[in-house]
Amino acid sequence: MGTPADQAYKHVIPLDFGSVKTMPDSFVWPESESDEVYSGTDQPSIPVIDLTDPNASKLIIQACETWGIFQLTGHGIPRKLMEEVESEAKKLFDLPAEQKLKTLRTPGGPSTGYGNPPSQASLPRKLWQEGFTIMGSAVDQARVLWPHDYQGFCDTMDEYQKQMKALVQQLIRLIFKYLGISEEEVNWFDDPANMCNAALHLNSYPPCPDPTRALGLPPHTDSSLLTILHTPTEGLQIFQEGVGWIQLQAKPDALTVNLGDFLHILSNGRFVSVLHRVMVNQKFHRISMAYHNWPPMNFLVSPLLSKTLADSGQVPKYRPITLKEYHGIKAKHFQHAVSFVKT
Ligand SMILES: C=C1C[C@]23C[C@H]1CC[C@H]2[C@@]12CCC[C@@](C)(C(=O)O1)[C@H]2[C@@H]3C(=O)O
Ligand SMILES: O=C(O)CCC(=O)C(=O)O
Ligand SMILES: [Fe+2]
């Protein structure tokens, strides 16, 4: 018998979105006034940073401390590759429901495959979205989905993850240097055995018959150190204290980088783990690709890993925690998870 979260999780069979004309009640989320999107003309926009700018490091740190999200240009990821990933993802999500269900996630652990992840087990309503998580090679699932034509999908996803990993290493090294976290203590990146500390999560948001009452993703923070998002179309909104929900302007050539809970913890709360959500629409099938990164499953993370923090005698605001333990907290408390790790 699994834990309650696992049990609840086991029975979540994703909706066959293409087959419904009206939205089932279980997908309707209650309205609340805090849902309003900021409508002022002076809408603040998130930082757009060119990675080739000599000041990029300083600008990135500033964005981490103020927004917890920024859009990145000059990242060197070929546009053609980004378009290939998008079209391969669309090919996957356009498969018939019974085909996709053959790769349904198995409960337990940060699973891969199709369907809702354990982290969503505690949600009161269903999401108008379907997800597919890849960690390293997708060949096992791809062979099930396309028995005679899976190589293209695998090659594209392998290449994209390889390029994402290099970009993440560049960003994390820059951030860890600023935090005074030494590479010796956290040399996870160079250890290929630690492949499990990254996942390419594909999101699909089919056209929705009643978009104002549905949610693609509820308000959440990612557990990650940081997440690199290719989100080519409108839908992503971020929450800014004192302003409210802000629509992210999609920039097809830019990648969106958002910080997650583990970087918030490592920076002892100085870096923002941005609260964000995804609204759906009636007109088109929205696809996004999120490359999530974490410390290895059993690595004990604490703000004291930062020499700057330890030397300054600051009190750690978060207790030491591993990703493994944190996954369990996320499955129970979702967007409030990080407050359960406070000292
Ligand atoms: C690769 C990951 C990271 C996951 C779990 C697993 C698969 C899907 C990711 C998300 C994506 C949507 C928000 C979130 C909170 C969710 O529910 O699923 C994320 C979660 C996490 O950041 O913990
Ligand atoms: O679809 C998007 O734009 C955001 C997806 C997201 O927040 C996630 O995968 O964690
Ligand atoms: Fe997210």
Side-chain angles (χ1 to χ4, degrees), residues 158-175:
D158 287 353
E159 181 58 23
Y160 189 68
Q161 290 176 91
K162 191 164 144 275
Q163 300 223 14
M164 282 291 117
K165 196 167 187 68
L167 179 56
V168 161
Q169 286 183 344
Q170 196 180 340
L171 294 171
I172 293 275
R173 282 212 169 86
L174 168 168
I175 288 171

Side-chain angles (χ1 to χ4, degrees), residues 121-343:
S122 69
L123 293 179
R125 293 285 188 283
K126 296 195 176 170
L127 301 174
W128 196 266
Q129 73 109 240
E130 39 185 350
F132 193 93
T133 305
I134 297 168
M135 284 189 182
S137 167
V139 72
D140 295 343
Q141 286 111 347
R143 252 203 207 110
V144 169
L145 297 172
W146 302 284
H148 308 295
D149 173 21
Y150 58 83
Q151 204 51 51
F153 180 86
C154 296
D155 294 348
T156 301
M157 298 307 167
D158 287 353
E159 181 58 23
Y160 189 68
Q161 290 176 91
K162 191 164 144 275
Q163 300 223 14
M164 282 291 117
K165 196 167 187 68
L167 179 56
V168 161
Q169 286 183 344
Q170 196 180 340
L171 294 171
I172 293 275
R173 282 212 169 86
L174 168 168
I175 288 171
F176 277 13
K177 190 157 166 270
Y178 173 78
L179 292 175
I181 296 177
S182 74
E183 304 249 327
E184 297 66 55
E185 286 173 66
V186 286
N187 62 346
W188 321 311
F189 309 111
D190 307 332
D191 173 1
N194 269 317
M195 265 306 282
C196 79
N197 66 341
L200 175 56
H201 182 63
L202 310 175
N203 290 297
S204 152
Y205 308 89
C208 178
D210 194 353
T212 58
R213 300 204 301 160
L215 273 178
L217 281 178
H220 72 275
T221 57
D222 294 353
S223 304
S224 60
L225 286 160
L226 56 80
T227 304
I228 301 188
L229 260 176
H230 173 46
T231 139
T233 49
E234 251 77 28
L236 177 62
Q237 297 180 350
I238 57 164
F239 189 79
Q240 171 82 313
E241 283 305 329
V243 179
W245 288 102
I246 298 172
Q247 183 81 28
L248 195 90
Q249 306 306 325
K251 285 182 170 35
D253 278 332
L255 287 168
T256 301
V257 180
N258 70 269
L259 305 191
D261 299 339
F262 269 85
L263 250 194
H264 177 75
I265 291 167
L266 267 175
S267 65
N268 207 27
R270 283 203 3 235
F271 287 175
V272 174
S273 180
V274 67
L275 188 68
H276 53 292
R277 69 182 184 185
V278 177
M279 308 311 280
V280 291
N281 75 78
Q282 213 154 359
K283 295 182 185 54
F284 65 93
H285 181 182
R286 182 175 183 274
I287 301 266
S288 76
M289 283 68 77
Y291 186 73
H292 291 254
N293 282 270
W294 317 276
M297 202 45 96
N298 299 308
F299 186 90
L300 199 58
V301 169
S302 151
L304 289 173
L305 274 172
S306 145
K307 222 173 126 7
T308 325
L309 185 102
D311 292 355
S312 67
Q314 271 184 52
V315 176
K317 291 181 185 145
Y318 297 96
R319 66 175 171 80
I321 182 126
T322 61
L323 177 70
K324 190 171 180 61
E325 188 189 350
Y326 195 70
H327 267 312
I329 299 172
K330 196 91 178 184
K332 282 199 189 71
H333 305 289
F334 204 64
Q335 91 253 41
H336 306 296
V338 78
S339 56
F340 285 82
V341 183
K342 277 196 170 28
T343 46

Side-chain angles (χ1 to χ4, degrees), residues 24-43:
D25 287 350
S26 55
F27 286 80
V28 177
W29 289 71
E31 286 283 308
S32 75
E33 68 294 334
S34 65
D35 281 356
E36 290 314 303
V37 185
Y38 183 82
S39 54
T41 47
D42 56 345
Q43 166 166 323

